[in-house]
Amino acid sequence: MPVLVMKFGGTSVATLDRIRRAAKRVGVEVSKGYDVIVIVSAMSGETNKLVGYVDETSPLYDAREYDAVVSSGENVTAGLMALTLQEMDVPARSWQGWQVPLKTTSAHSAARIEEIPTENINTKFAEGMRVAVVAGFQGISPEGRITTLGRGGSDTTAVAFAAAFDAERCDIYTDVDGVYTTDPRIASKARKLDRIAFEEMLELASLGAKVLQTRSVELAMRYNVKLRVLSSFEEQSDEAGTLVCAEEEIMESNVVSGIAYSRDEAKMTLVSVADRPGIAAAIFGPLSDAGINVDMIIQNIAEEGRTDMTFSCPTDQVTRAEKALQDAKARGEINYHDLIADTDVAKVSAVGIGMRSQSGVAATMFRTLRDEGVNIKVIATSEIKISVLIDRKYMELAVQALHDAFGLDKAA
């Protein structure tokens, strides 16, 4: 039988009533002739509670035991979902990561999936099981220990299963009814997209959109897994939600598909760095070793052998970045006069595959921000994206103005 993967996030399984509602959706797909693999998150709030227990018990915790604790929330949901389906006379079984087994690296709390053997679950499908309810977010290391995939890891689990089992589609059920042109809470004219290309979704996810985890979109693009984002709280039709698919499957789209934002950005500037070969490596090597997620990078024109280097990173990584650079300076690897951190900025980005073939996007974006009196601090571009750093107080104004300027309230 064809396989369908359905993933339910924490808000979709937050209570027993919501688990029953989700189970009914699964039952509908079983009645259509699918064998279904259901990926479940922990009930809403449960993972945060478990993380709190670990932090209170052992602030400098053993990551292996951290994974053992925080992965347990998904086990509870998987068992309750399987029981609910059984009460509906749907043959279902729960599966923990080690039972599949979902094989991962040994990087506890940030493991990466290496292999998903299909034999165990396919054998049970052949014996009459119709639904495999798999605990998301978790796997097993080469050493036989429970691992977790990091926050949002259940999305990645779902896409990986869809790829491994050659599923017809992977449906991600969440608390929103699809992917929007921007955050509807900021721009009232935001419009739900029927389809969006993998590359666009990947950019939006990495630039602040919270609908899908970045790694899950990367996997979907690599293995060409069709993703559909749906609401678990609304009545569904075959055309509901947003389909994330290959660019070739989209007939027409706007030049810009969406406006993303990230509120928690910081701009860091090394003032008067020696302008010599290897200086960038000397700066960004220590930052990489410290796990700093550097985004935008700008180097000024050199003057008298000195230059300024500016980069952006998340605000919660500023302290670590400062320490890494100060340590590198103390070791004599770099020499700078001052290190300035501006933690009151936001990143706003325009994303669209149409940028490849149409000019004028940058001009429209910069003119719109100028007309609204918004000063641009840093600019970064890629083939399908333009991002700017601006003062955080202007973030919502910028998002609304750019959404209007690119006509995103109207379909292509």
Side-chain angles (χ1 to χ4, degrees):
M1 290 186 180
V3 173
L4 185 70
V5 174
M6 304 173 72
K7 182 262 177 179
F8 293 94
T11 54
S12 303
V13 291
T15 64
L16 291 179
D17 280 343
R18 290 187 181 180
I19 290 174
R20 291 187 192 103
R21 177 193 283 256
K24 287 179 182 176
R25 295 192 187 282
V26 176
V28 169
E29 300 300 342
V30 170
S31 69
K32 293 178 182 177
Y34 288 106
D35 282 336
V36 181
I37 298 173
V38 175
I39 310 296
V40 291
S41 298
M43 299 167 83
S44 183
E46 193 65 23
T47 300
N48 287 340
K49 184 170 73 174
L50 294 170
V51 170
Y53 289 157
V54 173
D55 288 340
E56 189 174 335
T57 303
S58 176
L60 299 174
Y61 54 75
D62 181 333
R64 294 166 296 185
E65 301 308 333
Y66 171 93
D67 279 357
V69 174
V70 301
S71 64
S72 63
E74 280 72 16
N75 296 341
V76 173
T77 314
L80 291 172
M81 177 68 79
L83 287 170
T84 303
L85 287 162
Q86 289 172 10
E87 287 295 306
M88 295 165 49
D89 294 324
V90 176
R93 277 280 169 231
S94 66
W95 297 73
Q96 295 177 21
W98 64 269
Q99 292 173 300
V100 174
L102 191 153
K103 300 178 182 179
T104 74
T105 62
S106 300
H108 287 276
S109 79
R112 299 189 77 84
I113 298 170
E114 293 198 320
E115 184 187 0
I116 301 179
T118 59
E119 292 81 4
N120 289 345
I121 287 178
N122 276 336
T123 296
K124 291 300 180 184
F125 277 145
E127 293 174 358
M129 178 185 74
R130 298 300 307 279
V131 181
V133 185
V134 179
F137 175 60
Q138 59 175 247
I140 185 167
S141 72
E143 296 77 27
R145 300 286 312 186
I146 293 170
T147 56
T148 62
L149 308 180
R151 282 307 180 96
S154 292
D155 284 353
T156 304
T157 304
V159 175
F161 268 87
F165 285 82
D166 195 23
E168 189 171 299
R169 195 179 63 247
C170 178
D171 287 347
I172 306 287
Y173 285 86
T174 180
D175 53 1
V176 296
D177 61 345
V179 179
Y180 278 73
T181 49
T182 196
D183 189 338
R185 294 169 299 182
I186 288 182
S188 59
K189 296 179 184 177
R191 178 176 55 85
K192 184 174 73 68
L193 297 165
D194 294 327
R195 294 184 177 220
I196 187 169
F198 287 128
E199 289 178 84
E200 292 173 316
M201 190 66 245
L202 185 57
E203 289 282 12
L204 289 172
S206 66
L207 293 167
K210 301 290 194 296
V211 180
L212 287 171
Q213 195 225 28
T214 306
R215 278 167 61 193
S216 69
V217 184
E218 288 175 346
L219 265 180
M221 185 163 66
R222 186 185 311 162
Y223 294 103
N224 199 27
V225 173
K226 286 187 179 179
L227 279 177
R228 192 168 61 150
V229 181
L230 308 123
S231 170
S232 56
F233 305 112
E234 296 184 2
E235 293 302 318
Q236 304 293 282
S237 68
D238 290 339
E239 300 301 317
T242 299
L243 186 68
V244 187
C245 57
E247 182 180 339
E248 296 74 33
E249 297 181 54
I250 300 175
M251 295 293 291
E252 290 286 341
S253 64
N254 289 328
V255 178
V256 171
S257 294
I259 305 296
Y261 66 89
S262 176
R263 193 183 304 273
D264 300 318
E265 295 288 325
K267 178 171 75 79
M268 303 192 70
T269 302
L270 287 167
V271 179
S272 189
V273 182
D275 184 31
R276 58 173 173 79
I279 188 61
I283 293 170
F284 295 105
L287 291 172
S288 174
D289 293 341
I292 307 302
N293 183 19
V294 173
D295 183 16
M296 303 171 165
I297 301 173
I298 288 183
Q299 182 175 355
N300 290 345
I301 296 172
E303 188 173 323
E304 296 181 358
R306 312 292 293 184
T307 186
D308 295 344
M309 188 80 77
T310 297
F311 64 90
S312 67
C313 69
T315 50
D316 61 2
Q317 296 181 3
V318 168
T319 302
R320 271 193 291 149
E322 288 174 333
K323 184 178 187 308
L325 292 170
Q326 288 161 0
D327 289 349
K329 183 178 182 181
R331 293 192 299 267
E333 296 171 8
I334 54 176
N335 182 11
Y336 56 86
H337 288 178
D338 200 4
L339 175 56
I340 301 171
D342 181 356
T343 57
D344 197 24
V345 296
K347 179 169 60 181
V348 177
S349 309
V351 175
I353 53 176
M355 291 186 197
R356 288 194 185 119
S357 56
Q358 189 159 331
S359 61
V361 175
T364 300
M365 185 169 185
F366 302 151
R367 186 168 53 246
T368 301
L369 294 174
R370 178 203 65 192
D371 292 346
E372 297 294 340
V374 178
N375 184 46
I376 298 171
K377 295 172 177 285
V378 178
I379 302 168
T381 65
S382 74
E383 196 178 21
I384 65 167
K385 168 201 81 177
I386 302 172
S387 294
V388 295
L389 278 188
I390 61 174
D391 285 329
R392 189 173 298 149
K393 64 183 178 181
Y394 295 121
M395 187 195 76
E396 294 193 8
L397 171 65
V399 170
Q400 292 164 354
L402 291 171
H403 193 272
D404 288 344
F406 289 113
L408 294 182
D409 57 324
K410 305 176 185 70

